Amino acid sequence: MLNKCLIVEDEFLIANSIKIALQDNGYVVTSIAAEGFDAIEQVKLSMPDIILMDITLRGSMDGIETIKQINSIYDIPVIYLTANVNDNIIERAQITEPFGYLIKPVDVKELLVNIKMALYKHTIDAELREINRTLDSRVTEEVEKNRLNDMLLIQQSKMAAMGEMIGAIAHQWRQPLNTINLLAQDLTSAFEYGELNGEYLGNSVNNIMRQVSFMSNTIDDFRNFFKADKEKIPFKINTAVREILYLIFEQITKSDIDIYMTCNYDGIVKKQLSGGFDKIFVCEPELIAYGYPNEFKQAVLNIITNARDAIIESRGNGLYIEDLKPFISIEILKDNDMAVIKFKDNGGGIPVEYIDKVFYPYVTTKKDGTGIGLYMAKTIIEKNMEGRLFVNNIDKGAEFVMELKLKEEV
């Protein structure tokens, strides 16, 4: 296919000699225009592949202004023709991004080389623009796919966490339900033996209401755990960890696993062996982080349940001997302007072949694991809260370390 050229030149002899040279070398000259407005009309009519434009056209619009108007609508390469090299003119012309300049009278060989180079470069530029356009589209598409995948993983992680919480509620409610059952039987017995009076009934009702209140508070804590955090806020780290332990404490201890809570910063050193949830202390003053407290709690839950499952699996594999008591320890430290939370267990550690992949999605060492929990914990801490989460194997177990930037102390 022959390339079409538009010549815009107000000197007829120069324009005609260029036309003849182009036609002799296989180009199609669509027309010759002598002024800017005519050139614009000729572009509309013939859509040339390249324009040869005299910079200093006669009339109200010179070659540079003409090309500016053409460029605002069309993408056609231009080569300027000029009889005089003037710095001011060249500086103005550069705004239109020309593909070259030729001095009149035009050398035919130089003209043909410049046209070939301009057409080639324009084709390459157009291809690059198309690649960039489709690349942007593909990047946007992949980002959207990744966002949807993250949303799916978050939902799967929340469903797994919900299963943990439902199990926790079952453990939390078992004791108060047993107590209510015994109180109801006791009321029946008291009535049969004539011991039921106003005081006896009042005490029994108060005891039942305390158990019901405990169960109601458990449901409120469960609902708050799954309430979406809409914005980052300051929150107390030790209290957040304690609230998660409140929900899963019975599950952990019923599995014959001890929980150690330790605070060690600003002269505070407290350590408590789990013997009952009410003995798990709150350090004061607390360390304050800035982020999404419920997401943080989910990350803590994922790490603790992962440690619990590792201990239970190790126990099933005959790892433990009588003097090796299973434990999970949580230590809250301060390192300059960072809060450091360490989760240690003696569940046997992470196999060497998995240690670098444990935070990848769908990578799990458990028989029935999903490979989502630790991935989500890392996403929450590092992506959503701009902290760090990493893991090391230690003696007979693993240590997960969270680092969060401190907001302030209260």
Side-chain angles (χ1 to χ4, degrees):
M1 179 175 158
L2 299 177
N3 292 116
K4 298 183 292 183
C5 300
L6 169 63
I7 301 171
V8 186
E9 171 60 59
D10 55 11
E11 295 186 31
F12 175 77
L13 292 178
I14 293 177
N16 196 53
S17 66
I18 293 173
K19 177 181 178 181
I20 293 170
L22 291 175
Q23 289 175 334
D24 288 345
N25 286 275
Y27 291 95
V28 175
V29 177
T30 58
S31 62
I32 297 175
E35 53 92 23
F37 291 107
D38 186 26
I40 294 171
E41 288 300 315
Q42 292 301 323
V43 168
K44 293 178 183 178
L45 292 172
S46 59
M47 287 301 298
D49 299 306
I50 191 166
I51 300 172
L52 303 177
M53 174 65 69
D54 182 11
I55 288 184
T56 55
L57 287 174
R58 299 188 185 97
S60 59
M61 186 165 55
D62 66 6
I64 297 171
E65 291 300 322
T66 302
I67 292 299
K68 281 182 180 179
Q69 292 202 25
I70 293 172
N71 283 351
S72 67
I73 304 173
Y74 306 104
D75 180 26
I76 303 173
V78 61
I79 295 175
Y80 282 119
L81 310 175
T82 180
N84 301 298
V85 178
N86 182 298
D87 288 342
N88 290 332
I89 291 176
I90 296 299
E91 186 175 349
R92 282 183 58 224
Q94 284 177 348
I95 298 173
T96 62
E97 300 181 354
F99 282 80
Y101 302 87
L102 292 173
I103 304 297
K104 295 186 290 186
V106 176
D107 180 83
V108 173
K109 186 179 293 186
E110 189 177 358
L111 171 66
L112 296 175
V113 169
N114 273 265
I115 290 176
K116 285 183 179 180
M117 290 298 294
L119 291 171
Y120 175 75
K121 187 174 184 300
H122 181 259
T123 300
I124 295 299
D125 288 348
E127 289 175 354
L128 288 174
R129 284 195 297 273
E130 178 62 17
I131 290 171
N132 287 333
R133 186 189 67 79
T134 56
L135 180 61
D136 287 342
S137 176
R138 289 199 299 271
V139 167
T140 301
E141 184 179 336
E142 288 301 315
V143 167
E144 181 64 16
K145 283 182 182 178
N146 289 336
R147 188 184 71 83
L148 292 174
N149 286 337
D150 282 346
M151 288 176 64
L152 177 60
L153 286 171
I154 289 170
Q155 187 62 29
Q156 289 177 320
S157 179
K158 284 189 174 181
M159 292 301 292
M162 186 176 291
E164 291 287 346
M165 290 295 98
I166 290 172
I169 287 177
H171 279 280
Q172 292 277 38
W173 277 17
R174 184 171 288 116
Q175 184 59 42
L177 284 172
N178 287 337
T179 302
I180 291 171
N181 182 51
L182 290 172
L183 287 168
Q185 293 179 43
D186 183 64
L187 282 173
T188 302
S189 298
F191 177 76
E192 289 176 353
Y193 288 99
E195 298 174 355
L196 186 62
N197 55 32
E199 182 181 357
Y200 197 104
L201 180 61
N203 289 335
S204 296
V205 169
N206 287 336
N207 286 333
I208 290 173
M209 292 307 296
R210 277 197 295 271
Q211 301 304 319
V212 171
S213 177
F214 172 83
M215 295 168 71
S216 177
N217 290 336
T218 302
I219 287 294
D220 288 340
D221 291 335
F222 175 77
R223 290 173 61 195
N224 289 334
F225 177 80
F226 286 101
K227 190 181 293 182
D229 292 316
K230 294 183 179 179
E231 59 183 19
K232 289 184 177 181
I233 59 171
F235 67 92
K236 298 176 181 179
I237 292 173
N238 184 263
T239 294
V241 174
R242 195 173 191 271
E243 288 173 356
I244 284 299
L245 288 178
Y246 172 76
L247 291 172
I248 63 172
F249 190 82
E250 288 294 324
Q251 283 181 299
I252 300 295
T253 55
K254 290 293 183 183
S255 298
D256 195 28
I257 299 171
D258 283 335
I259 300 178
Y260 293 89
M261 283 284 293
T262 305
C263 289
N264 190 353
Y265 57 85
D266 290 352
I268 300 171
V269 180
K270 289 188 178 181
K271 184 172 183 177
Q272 177 67 52
L273 172 63
S274 62
F277 176 76
D278 58 330
K279 294 183 179 179
I280 296 180
F281 56 84
V282 175
C283 293
E284 293 180 349
E286 290 206 45
L287 298 183
I288 308 298
Y290 188 72
Y292 304 101
N294 283 343
E295 288 193 8
F296 172 76
K297 291 177 190 177
Q298 185 176 345
V300 170
L301 174 68
N302 289 347
I303 291 173
I304 293 175
T305 54
N306 187 76
R308 179 204 62 194
D309 293 345
I311 290 172
I312 292 172
E313 187 172 326
S314 295
R315 181 185 290 146
N317 293 335
L319 173 69
Y320 288 104
I321 56 177
E322 290 184 6
D323 61 346
L324 185 59
K325 176 71 173 179
F327 75 86
I328 298 170
S329 76
I330 304 166
E331 185 178 13
I332 301 175
L333 306 165
K334 180 181 176 184
D335 183 8
N336 296 320
D337 62 343
M338 301 294 290
V340 181
I341 308 102
K342 296 183 178 180
F343 302 83
K344 298 180 183 179
D345 66 72
N346 59 346
I350 300 169
V352 175
E353 63 269 25
Y354 286 102
I355 192 73
D356 294 328
K357 304 174 184 177
V358 73
F359 293 112
Y360 290 5
Y362 304 117
V363 173
T364 181
T365 60
K366 303 177 190 176
K367 182 180 179 181
D368 299 317
T370 62
I372 297 173
L374 292 179
Y375 167 76
M376 283 310 306
K378 192 172 183 70
T379 299
I380 287 166
I381 297 303
E382 296 193 353
K383 184 176 179 180
N384 297 1
M385 298 181 63
E386 300 175 1
R388 285 186 70 209
L389 175 60
F390 55 93
V391 64
N392 298 300
N393 276 331
I394 57 175
D395 184 35
K396 298 183 178 66
E399 177 186 62
F400 287 83
V401 182
M402 283 185 187
E403 294 179 353
L404 295 173
K405 191 171 180 61
L406 289 171
K407 176 68 175 176
E408 59 178 293
E409 292 184 12
V410 296

